[in-house]
């Protein structure tokens, strides 16, 4: 059975799993901000309407200025894209004949873009036995050969975080041997900018992928950007379609990035909810990854029953993310997004019920 390769779009999942979809469901399979989109989007939506009949600024100059000032970088160190996903696909073209590493489990698009661009893939693995820590010596040996590496920080799906000092060490190795660090910070704003490598923007060996679809809940609008060295960004820009970022996405991006109160509120909310959910799951005998992000891995007391729990929850209208296509996880865990308190409560109630049913079997 081939399950959908990403979260969201639950209808397809129900069809593939051959489970009839209840009239009301909650979708914890994707990781957008439950507090979003920020209210300014709705407030100004009507005013932005007029922008749809003209071509957008192909450079996205105003948005770039806002992003550059947010990160304290130069405007020419920013490149905007139709989601981080587009920028990954295009950026990988520059390393077509190189070897690119991926540390698993990881966002499945990395392998897709590596293979679609004809680059060579080298896999590294982490798992629960080492608390998802990668063997840094292996990575260092790999980078010393001039190879490139995709890094997801925080990791999707575990929510584990790489320390900036470790990333700095790896970047120095890449600089020395002319490899690339392809750093995906799609969810870093859920933790705080102090975890970002944006201070290293400008290094010719670092590209930072940022998404605006998670924090600002704009997945349908599509918006992301790259922070990097201006010459590398120019090369990538030449490969992108003209007008790749639509006018509404540009306007929305300018408005929301400046809303620091919204971002702070989100971080506090996620932290408190994550703790509340983890306390509950721990008491229920479940295991979770030590996530610092707005999603986490969970596993029932009997890990052999993970697939059964997944299907049972679907029947109750609670959609989690399967991990069948996360290399190295292979379905042993489930991933859940931290959503509204009400939705998180529904998950916890369901877990209670499942445990009760289990104990009476
Ligand atoms: C780790 C990670 N990076 C990047 C993306 C893609 O982000 P965007 O919506 O900006 O294309 C996703 C989407 O799920 C993701 O999980």
């Amino acid at each position: 059975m081939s399950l959908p390769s990403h979260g969201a779009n639950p209808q397809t999942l129900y069809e593939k799993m051959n489970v009839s979809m209840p009239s009301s469901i909650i979708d914890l399979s994707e990781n957008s901000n439950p507090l979003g989109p920020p209210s300014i989007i709705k407030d100004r939506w009507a005013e932005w309407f007029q922008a749809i009949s003209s071509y957008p600024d192909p450079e996205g100059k105003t948005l770039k200025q806002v992003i550059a000032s947010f990160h304290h970088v130069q405007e020419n160190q920013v490149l905007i894209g139709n989601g981080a996903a587009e920028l990954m696909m295009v950026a990988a073209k520059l390393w077509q004949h190189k070897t690119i590493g991926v540390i698993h489990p990881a966002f499945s698009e990395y392998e897709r873009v590596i293979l679609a661009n004809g680059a060579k893939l080298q896999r590294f693995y982490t798992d629960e036995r080492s608390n998802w820590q990668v063997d840094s010596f292996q990575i260092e040996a790999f980078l010393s050969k001039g190879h490139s590496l995709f890094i997801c920080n925080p990791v999707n799906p575990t929510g584990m975080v790489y320390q900036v000092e470790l990333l700095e060490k790896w970047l120095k190795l890449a600089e020395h041997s002319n490899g690339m660090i392809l750093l995906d910070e799609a969810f870093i704003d859920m933790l705080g900018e102090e975890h970002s490598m944006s201070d290293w923007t400008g290094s010719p060996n670092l590209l930072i992928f940022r998404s605006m679809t998670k924090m600002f809940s704009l997945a349908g609008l599509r918006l992301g950007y790259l922070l990097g060295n201006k010459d590398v960004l120019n090369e990538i820009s030449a490969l992108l379609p003209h007008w790749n970022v639509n006018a509404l996405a540009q306007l929305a991006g300018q408005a929301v990035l400046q809303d620091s109160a919204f971002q702070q509120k989100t971080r506090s909310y996620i932290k408190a909810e994550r703790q509340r959910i983890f306390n509950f799951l721990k008491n229920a005998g479940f295991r979770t990854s030590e996530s610092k992000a707005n999603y986490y891995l969970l596993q029932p007391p009997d890990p052999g029953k993970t697939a059964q729990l997944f299907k049972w929850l679907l029947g109750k209208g609670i959609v989690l993310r399967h991990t069948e296509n996360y290399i190295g996880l292979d379905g042993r865990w489930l991933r859940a997004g931290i959503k509204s308190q009400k939705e998180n409560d529904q998950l916890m109630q369901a877990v209670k019920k499942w445990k009760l049913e289990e104990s009476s079997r």
Side-chain angles (χ1 to χ4, degrees), residues 32 41 70 74 169 243 247 250 304 318 336:
S32 61
I41 303 258
F70 181 82
Q74 306 293 316
K169 187 174 176 193
W243 310 295
Q250 291 192 28
I318 297 177

Side-chain angles (χ1 to χ4, degrees), residues 6 31 82-86 88 107 110 152 154 156 184 186-187 210-214 219 222-224 335:
H6 292 289
N31 298 326
N82 188 33
E86 177 189 56
M88 282 171 198
F107 182 47
Y110 307 149
C152 193
N156 173 1
D184 180 0
F187 291 97
R210 301 280 301 220
S211 171
M212 294 188 70
T213 70
K214 317 299 185 186
R222 315 296 304 126
L223 186 60
R335 193 193 70 194

Side-chain angles (χ1 to χ4, degrees), residues 141-162:
F142 177 75
L143 288 172
S144 306
K145 291 183 189 137
H147 300 318
S148 300
L149 182 69
F150 260 112
I151 303 169
C152 193
N153 195 31
V155 178
N156 173 1
T158 60
M160 303 291 288
V161 182
Y162 288 96

Side-chain angles (χ1 to χ4, degrees), residues 115-133:
L115 300 176
N117 284 293
K120 285 188 216 76
L121 167 70
Q122 169 79 50
R123 288 179 177 162
F124 298 94
Y125 299 93
T126 67
D127 64 26
E128 53 271 56
R129 286 170 303 179
S130 59
N131 198 22
W132 316 102
Q133 301 300 310

